[in-house]
Amino acid sequence: MSGGTERSFSVDNARNIGLCRLCGAPLEHTFVDLGMSPPCESFVPAAAVNNMEPYYPLHAFVCSECFLVQLGEYVAPEEIFEEYAYFSSYSDSWVAHAKRYCQLAIERLSLDRDSFVVEIASNDGYLLQHFLEKDIPILGIEPAINVAKVAVEKGIPTLTDFFGKALAKQMVAEGRQADLIIGNNVLAQVPDLNDFVAGMKVLLKPSGAITLEFPHIARLIEENQFDTIYHEHFSYFSLLTIEKMAERHGLKVFDVEELPTHGGSLRVYLTHAANAIRREPRVDALLERERECKLDRVETYTAFAAAVRQTKRNLLSFLIRLKEMRKSICAYGAPGKGNTLLNYCGIGTDFIDFAVDRNPYKHGRFTPGMHIPIKPVSEIERTKPDYILILPWNLKNEIVSQMKGIGEWGGKFVVPIPDVSVIDPKELGQ
Ligand SMILES: [Zn+2]
């Protein structure tokens, strides 16, 4: 990272958010402060574009005891989840990832018609549908009403509720315990982390397994992925922290895989602490690597903020140069992470003419805060912009391959993270 050391004055203690949501230690260290931002999934309908929008702090802290990186519960979960715009089925690579996972889980855990699989935050059923095909009993739990409705229409049994210890106890009282509990990209979104993990412990059969997927904080730091921080993501984990979390709840980690999804994720396998299952050597190998990366030292985390500020300056300088050359720029994708980037950097319609997205729910709406209009993907073909800023950079390869036709009019892609870079489709092999 260029730019040298930055001078700044710390105001940490004036703005701390209290106690760690995992271990209860006081939170005294800033990870990064991204200023004030509206909830990133609150896409603004045209009729509301002149209304006031709520803004909340996007200030992440790190716990010096368990190293959980976390935001305060600035936005009530009910406000976030009642109408959630993200439908998992709109990403091809994500659907393929889900299918591979299901095949693997069915073999490894010998799941059959007598098993019971529960997915928490089951979205539109994109994952559970693969168990349904094999006649394995399933249940989805999904708090977003509009998304759960889509799942039910596909024949996926879905409870519209928030998961925690109370719901788990109710299910057990009804005679339902799970052989497999799946939590993909939900752990980060749980405000009461301890209640959530306690609930999984209650719901799990003695021989059952839990798999959790979440973005790996090691990759977030290494690759400067500050835009994966948003109000809906309360927590950011290393395996070191997950192990502390498991121990606290009578669970243990028995395997871990590193995945390329969401910029680099972990899939951890948990079971009851009393289960005799062998721990795979790669668990200890990854823990050791995290210690080598000093993820057990608070200084590693507090150094992140300066790198983020440098990225903001680099991206803005680049966009200003493009505009001085009279280039037109649009954005591809309007994901949550895109809105953190746009709001933190202050990138609005002065730089970006419009954004396109494959999700029709977003068409005709505006991005929260910056109010960039969102249009169907065909708008790119119609207007032939010079540059396309790829906001969901985790899907960069998929998008470049789908959209490489922009090379016909000399269009190029811009990827903002980890550092601003340009991809010319004409220079790519066929
Ligand atoms: Zn802690």
Side-chain angles (χ1 to χ4, degrees):
M1 199 51 57
S2 60
T5 342
E6 232 186 83
R7 295 184 60 218
S8 66
F9 300 96
S10 171
V11 289
D12 282 6
N13 290 331
R15 293 186 59 187
N16 82 61
I17 52 170
L19 305 178
C20 171
R21 66 162 43 85
L22 178 57
C23 77
L27 291 171
E28 294 169 335
H29 302 280
T30 288
F31 179 59
V32 67
D33 184 357
L34 299 170
M36 298 292 287
S37 219
C40 75
E41 295 288 345
S42 303
F43 293 91
V44 181
V49 85
N50 293 329
N51 296 355
M52 198 162 71
E53 257 177 296
Y55 274 61
Y56 301 93
L58 204 45
H59 188 161
F61 289 79
V62 60
C63 172
S64 54
E65 295 297 317
C66 72
F67 304 104
L68 181 69
V69 169
Q70 54 204 294
L71 291 178
E73 196 184 325
Y74 300 116
V75 189
E78 290 76 15
E79 189 179 336
I80 298 171
F81 291 111
E82 259 181 25
E83 196 174 84
Y84 195 52
Y86 185 72
F87 286 85
S88 299
S89 300
Y90 287 109
S91 162
D92 295 340
S93 58
W94 191 244
V95 171
H97 169 76
K99 187 169 185 176
R100 279 194 302 275
Y101 164 82
C102 294
Q103 286 162 344
L104 195 124
I106 290 168
E107 282 170 36
R108 183 164 183 180
L109 304 170
S110 311
L111 300 175
D112 59 26
R113 284 164 196 223
D114 299 321
S115 308
F116 183 43
V117 176
V118 176
E119 186 184 13
I120 307 170
S122 48
N123 205 277
D124 59 3
Y126 71 100
L127 189 139
L128 285 176
Q129 65 188 357
H130 301 294
F131 292 104
L132 189 68
E133 284 165 11
K134 309 263 183 207
D135 293 325
I136 297 168
I138 51 172
L139 179 71
I141 301 172
E142 170 56 55
I145 297 159
N146 62 328
V147 180
K149 194 164 155 268
V150 175
V152 171
E153 282 162 7
K154 284 195 220 168
I156 314 277
T158 304
L159 259 177
T160 306
D161 210 340
F162 285 97
F163 181 78
K165 205 171 172 181
L167 181 61
K169 281 186 168 166
Q170 188 190 322
M171 289 172 70
V172 173
E174 292 162 2
R176 296 199 287 180
Q177 265 193 309
D179 296 272
L180 171 62
I181 301 174
I182 306 164
N184 286 349
N185 298 297
V186 60
L187 201 60
Q189 305 191 5
V190 174
D192 191 344
L193 189 59
N194 285 317
D195 180 65
F196 183 87
V197 181
M200 291 196 295
K201 166 91 179 164
V202 168
L203 185 62
L204 192 68
K205 279 187 192 168
S207 60
I210 300 167
T211 71
L212 302 171
E213 286 180 34
F214 50 87
H216 191 192
I217 186 101
R219 298 290 296 278
L220 189 157
I221 294 174
E222 271 164 33
E223 293 170 29
N224 203 16
Q225 301 166 352
F226 68 89
D227 59 343
T228 58
I229 298 170
Y230 41 87
H231 296 113
E232 290 83 338
H233 281 183
F234 300 111
S235 310
Y236 304 81
F237 299 89
S238 62
L239 186 59
L240 287 160
T241 300
I242 289 288
E243 188 160 70
K244 287 181 200 281
M245 182 192 84
E247 277 169 16
R248 215 182 155 83
H249 290 279
L251 296 166
K252 66 179 182 188
V253 178
F254 69 93
D255 199 3
V256 64
E257 291 170 70
E258 291 178 83
L259 309 171
T261 46
H262 290 287
S265 296
L266 296 183
R267 177 187 290 148
V268 296
Y269 293 72
L270 305 174
T271 186
H272 292 286
N275 190 329
I277 192 165
R278 190 177 78 101
R279 173 157 155 144
E280 295 295 328
R282 54 189 177 178
V283 177
D284 291 307
L286 182 55
L287 288 171
E288 190 49 43
R289 260 169 51 215
E290 288 192 345
R291 285 188 203 99
E292 281 166 14
C293 294
K294 302 191 172 69
L295 289 177
D296 55 352
R297 304 255 293 268
V298 79
E299 298 78 22
T300 308
Y301 297 87
T302 54
F304 184 63
V308 171
R309 287 192 288 265
Q310 183 65 46
T311 303
K312 171 176 177 171
R313 292 192 292 267
N314 293 350
L315 178 60
L316 283 172
S317 301
F318 176 80
L319 293 177
I320 290 167
R321 279 201 304 279
L322 290 187
K323 291 318 284 182
E324 283 174 346
M325 293 188 291
R326 303 275 184 271
K327 300 294 184 190
S328 57
I329 313 169
C330 78
Y332 189 102
K337 68 173 63 161
N339 293 319
T340 291
L341 181 96
L342 298 171
N343 283 300
Y344 170 63
C345 296
I347 299 169
T349 49
D350 41 2
F351 290 106
I352 309 283
D353 298 328
F354 59 89
V356 299
D357 201 278
R358 287 174 75 186
N359 183 348
Y361 171 89
K362 296 179 183 173
H363 298 160
R365 292 177 186 248
F366 294 79
T367 65
M370 287 294 124
H371 288 192
I372 297 171
I374 306 169
K375 297 175 186 276
V377 179
S378 59
E379 190 70 5
I380 289 182
E381 181 68 31
R382 200 179 73 76
T383 58
K384 302 185 170 42
D386 299 312
Y387 286 86
I388 295 179
L389 177 66
I390 298 181
L391 292 174
W393 43 257
N394 53 310
L395 305 175
K396 173 180 77 178
N397 295 339
E398 180 179 338
I399 292 165
V400 167
S401 119
Q402 277 168 8
M403 300 297 298
K404 59 178 184 280
I406 67 165
E408 284 168 25
W409 64 81
K412 296 187 178 82
F413 299 100
V414 180
V415 184
I417 301 286
D419 283 304
V420 60
S421 64
V422 174
I423 300 171
D424 185 344
K426 282 190 188 155
E427 289 169 9
L428 299 174
Q430 289 308 305

